[in-house]
Amino acid sequence: MQARKKYIFLTFLASWLLLFLFGGDRLRRFALFSGRKAEARRNWPRWTDRFLLKNFADPEELQRDGDPSLLSPRERHAAWLSVYKNSRCRMETCFDFSRCEKNGFKVFTYPRERDQPVSESYSKILSSIERSRYYTPKAEEACLFILGIDTLDRDHLSAQYVQDVDEKIRGFSLWNGGRNHLIFNLYSGTWPNYTEDLGFDIGQAILAKASFDTERFRPGFDISIPLFPKDHPQRGGERGWLYQDSIPPKKKYLLVFKGKRYLTGIGSGTRNALHHIHNGKDIISLTTCKHGKDWEKHKDTRCDKDNVDYEKFDYRELLRNSTFCIVPRGRRLGSFRFLEALQAACIPVLLSDGWELPFAEAIDWGKATIVGSERLLLQIPSAVRCIHPERVLAFQQQTQFLWDAYFSSVDKIVHTTLEIIKDRLSPHRSRSRFLWNALPGGLLVLPDFSTHLGDFPFYHLQHGSSPSEKFTAFIRVVSQAGSLSQHILRLIQAVSGSQYCAQILVLWSCEKPPPPSRKWPQTTMPLTIIQGRRKLSDRFFPYGAIQTDAVLSLDEHISLSTSEVDFAFVVWRSFPERIVGFPTRSHFWDAERGRWGYTSQWTNELSIVLTAAAFYHRYYHSLFTEYLPVGLRDLVDGLAACEDILMNVLVAAVTKLPPIKVAQKKQHKDTAPQQVKGTAGAAGSRRFSQRQDCLNQLVDWFGYMPLVSSQLRLDPVLFKDQVSVLRKKYPRLEK
Amino acid sequence: IMCASAKYNTRGPALIPRMKTKHRIYYITLFSIVLLGLIATGMFQFWPHSIESSSDWTVEKRSVHDVPVVKLPADSPIPERGDLSCRMHTCFDVYRCGFNPKNKIKVYIYSLKKYVDEYGTSVSNTISREYNELLTAISDSEFYTDDVNRACLFVPSIDLLNQNVLRIKETAQALAQLSRWDRGTNHLLFNMLPGGPPDYNTALDVPRDRALLAGGGFSTWTYRQGYDVSIPVYSPLSGEVDLPERGPGPRRYFILSSQMALHPEYQSELEALQTENGESVLILDKCTNLSDGVPAVRKRCYKNQVFDYPQVLQESTFCVVLRGARLGQAVLSDVLQAGCVPVIIADSYILPFSEVLDWKRASVVIPEEKMPEMYSILQSIPQRQIEEMQRQARWFWEAYFRSMKAIALATLQIINDRIYPYAAISYEEWNDPPAVKWSSVSNPLFLPLIPPQSQGFTAIVLTYDRVESLFRVITEVSKVPSLSKLLVVWNNQNKNPPEDSLWPKIRVPLKVVRTAENKLSNRFFPYDEIETEAVLAIDDDIIMLTSDELQFGYEVWREFPDRLVGYPGRLHLWDHEMNKWKYESEWTNEVSMVLTGAAFYHKYFNYLYTYKMPGDIKNWVDAHMNCEDIAMNFLVANVTGKSVIKVTPRKKFKCPECTAIDGLSLDQTHMVERSECINKFASVFGTMPLKVVEHRADPVLYKDDFPEKLKSFPNIGSL
């Protein structure tokens, strides 16, 4: 009986199993059968013998894919060199890496020829390079060479076309077939077909060109740059037009275009069709036939009416009031419109098939533009309508980030070009695509500092990490005494009392040697003395001894308590990309004198935190020393006291945010003027006006005023509240 | 029977209910009926289909050897060689892939045929196991269509994975006679092992005209960027060997080379590395004296030591992937699977899926010339980064290498992204491993903008029937200089709002919105009337905030526009006894939330609250009529990863007469409810997003020894 029961039970189970294995699917289909019979998909068959099929390759063949009789790697390389040149250039074959090994990435510009003036744009490019930290005046040190001949406009009908470039180049002893040369170009070819011909043989030179066609583009070798206007600022540059993040994006128009309609010739296919999507409501697409001398010859029936409508709208108003902007090809693939739309936060809808987008090697354009297809123009309206408001907002913000990071000035365009080339030289020390496409942008991230996201102050949120839990106190000593003042001893005591302190570094910047170690206070905290070179910029040198993310920068005369330090550090951990500190200053626009003013008076605002007592990320030491051009550091070293302003300007330029002031016990005896003992008011005011001059010179270097003001101070939650001090975590701050 | 059941009982809970004898027959009959029914259903399933649609289901039962044979005449046309200038806009017919709401391309697969030449000799193996898996994966995917007329992309069933096993000319002829070939337009060919001796081309040698090529082993000279897709060389070991993911951390060897039959020149370079750096470098080769039956591919040897392959790859931090005759190597897949960071030495190689994958995060590429410097280059990489690369390598394998299915779908997705770029998958989705996707945040308001002050803010007062108090709030708030509009959300459906003439006269527009239901979430609706970015949510009984305090709150919000900026702060704590979260409103040194009874925030968060609140939180809040503010705090912290900002000192908040009514007991149930909310939300969010901070924002000169009249916000903090 028992056996039978088991048997029945088993049969029952087995039949259920069978039903499940083979029938479930069928039953489901059966339920829907009547209506969907015709739709039953014919899928790829499940072959009965599919498990018997052979592998696509013998496993051993896959793992020993070599044939010693083949060319040796060296022979192959030699063979490549002879085959892959000119139009098939790659870095491996056309670039001499060995030139960059000894002196690093140094760029040389040919001296300009007297008889051949260069265009405004080209002289801006050259001066960008000459001001950059990569510039070298010595050809023998150089890794990359830039011609002095203006090659920007190679349309031979243009006034700026330089004749006989080939001949001139052949005369240069450094030319070397174009190896390690970088050639800039904005316009190539001319009516009617606008070919990409430059009118001279670039040989093995890298071409940085606007309107690059993917077919001519040598991937990983050439660089596509944006077309920029003559009056594009040298540095700084205008900010983008997005001032607020609206949701839903409440702009008047969805999609706009205003431009020429080509009646004939290259590019007319697309430009001629644009008017079709105009609906007069939220899609405005206006064209004019008026261009060129003989437009009336080709004029069609639309022209007159279109020309009238065209005048009714202002181009800049449309840019400002539209969510999307059509950026079609012109005669060439790129247009000024591209950067204009980008700046205006009008999301570019690209209709320029085959355009190698600017810096596409680094920039992920899919996050800021809609790459449309010229052939599918009529689908564009429905496609952009379907984009979710949240994505629109993200796109808009990304346009602004990209504009500001890579395009708003000639400096940025040129530096981006150089950095892309530099990254190719050592792929293992280069920026990942993420770094190029996240704030603050690739130019401000030095792969020589680190390639690990967590080492930078900017990416903790995206990376899911947090800054280190300890800080390094970094005390600068400049006093002439040569012995240790009471001040400094007290300071060391206070700092080493902090639970977050990892070590103390003393930068000894005096003529006299530092006192022997027994004179220093005996604390458990590791204390290291660094002998400075007695330059002001020393204090921001990236010393290897600084191992923590946070640096507490201190002047010897400052007085701080342990709880102030503790609280400030806790605050800094919430804002690791900013300077967080105690004494502050502010800047203002002095309309009367037409320059920037600097004030140390108590004000309701602040824009500078003195590095006499401030936390910041150690990466800023690297940026200060490696990123800023030498000229700027020399400027600071030449002035008495300006390095801290430069640091504040630098951090503000990177973050676009104000520094943070935290609660302090009592007002620090105001630092600057009084600190240098024995100096009278005159010296103080001289120093003060120097700082003001310095600020103005920095603004000139940066091309704009990066400092941002803040109206707040961060205090402990119960600061000066009427509660028992026993409840407070930082009671000593209130004494 | 008794003892049988007793036996069952002793074994534990009875699986079958105890049967009494008289029920036995009954049960057996029941079983039989069920059984018969099942058999009948089963029969029925196979029965009707074979009759009514023979082309449909019978196909599935066929063998690969039964497929139709196609004879290729010797003079049948051969396609042109591949066109190196092909790009999507020149060689691809987008009109076949029209706009569709799903933004998915449709892929058609040609049915399987066996191709023979004039003499009846077959042209190639009909199909390999891998290619069959690949086609099966496409067929099972969302991309598939069986309607050749609706297809955007065509995949031939001719197996081209390994060029060595096919006859080039005849295979090309087979391609050319496909029904929709049309010069190869919109045809996608898959190939993993291109070229052949002696010069090993880096792309498939079969003439293919305009067809797209998904190839393993492209070089930068054969790869048509934006047209072809670079794919991995599949390693069948992936399917055979299960290598569990190994945690990051130091491993026994620093550099390992496991490839067999390397070129002697590479071999000697590697050996030089080994002599220089000793035991941290391990160079394995083929085993020479293996006993029979041991598969050579699964063993590697160093001198007399035998290692299991691919397991040994897990013992090393870096694994060398050198080019062989071809650029693409199957060992790359093994290395990634082992979570070993590949060191790729293959100049001009286009890495798999390089169009979308950021290989710098998972590998180290070293130019062949720099091989001697390999050790020092690798040593310069920070340990933390190595660990991330290990994780990343493993993730790339899991997502894009592990099966033919993964390879096929990634390829189609890349082509799909080109055709519908506005719906493309983002960099983060392609590249971030699940752990990073989980722990990272991407702030929707990421641009550091300080909104212009002139924009002002919109105050939203949620009210039910406290008209008198409401009017006082309106009057107070209207004194704030930056107020630009006041919106009253009238949440009482049974009573009309007071007549227009009764409302306080204020200098800014005042609008009343009537709601359809008395719900708390009405407070957070993104009303069209809100034209500013900044919203001040304020309860209809908050009359104690001064104009200075509100104005300062707005200024603080401008500096932190992606955060909640509010007045009373609250805290969440972990209750170790109860093992759950607890709500805290005492005077604490920390805050993690601000009450939305008076808080500034970006209108975007109204949008998120209304449309993107995870789980059932929104309904839950409406049903419980509580905790909408906690929900908002969770939402903002979760999406931005940032803390709230509490402004100004602590104030007594509710009017004294309101709280005094029945003090403690009310207070305590309130606390319990709020704690429950926190626990509920934390479980819905799957994490605790709230961030605890110790700071609060005060005006720069707050409580400083300075003349009050010179301060911007003198009237702050008086209780």
Side-chain angles (χ1 to χ4, degrees), chain A residues 501-559:
Chain A
C501 185
Q503 58 167 340
I504 299 177
L505 296 179
V506 177
L507 175 65
W508 192 263
S509 271
C510 319
E511 272 176 58
K512 291 178 187 160
S517 56
R518 64 192 151 77
K519 291 269 179 81
W520 293 87
Q522 301 303 310
T523 65
T524 49
M525 199 60 67
L527 190 146
T528 316
I529 294 150
I530 300 171
Q531 188 76 50
R533 294 165 308 159
R534 308 195 51 236
K535 275 191 175 176
L536 286 164
S537 55
D538 268 3
R539 78 177 309 170
F540 300 127
F541 188 80
Y543 296 100
I546 305 176
Q547 289 290 333
T548 56
D549 286 343
V551 178
L552 169 59
S553 167
L554 295 165
D555 275 357
E556 58 191 305
H557 56 79
I558 220 83
S559 69

Side-chain angles (χ1 to χ4, degrees), chain A residues 42 44 46 49 55-56 63 90 244 250 390-391 397 451 455 462 710 715 717 727 729-730, chain B residues 60 63 92 130 132 144 220 300 329 384-385 422 440 444 531 533 559 589 612 694 696 698:
Chain A
R42 269 172 305 165
W44 183 252
R46 301 273 185 276
D49 48 358
N55 286 112
F56 76 107
Q63 295 200 2
R90 298 292 184 270
Q244 48 176 297
K250 47 161 194 195
E390 283 169 282
R391 278 197 82 200
Q397 293 179 77
T451 42
D455 286 340
Q462 293 107 311
S710 167
D715 295 335
V717 171
R727 278 182 171 274
K729 187 165 174 189
Y730 302 100
Chain B
E60 295 211 343
S63 150
F92 194 86
E130 281 79 11
N132 181 51
Y144 179 71
T220 117
R300 291 290 187 280
Q329 296 290 316
R384 285 193 294 170
Q385 192 181 349
Y422 37 85
S440 65
E531 288 174 292
E533 281 179 271
E559 292 189 34
N589 286 289
K612 300 281 155 137
E694 297 184 358
R696 143 195 119 192
D698 289 331

Side-chain angles (χ1 to χ4, degrees), chain A residues 64-76:
Chain A
R64 35 179 312 140
D65 172 45
D67 185 350
S69 65
L70 287 176
L71 285 182
S72 82
R74 246 175 246 131
E75 286 161 348
R76 182 171 48 231

Side-chain angles (χ1 to χ4, degrees), chain B residues 221-237:
Chain B
W221 291 288
T222 49
Y223 178 66
R224 295 168 291 182
Q225 199 162 15
Y227 193 65
D228 291 325
V229 181
S230 172
I231 59 170
V233 180
Y234 176 70
S235 169
L237 283 181

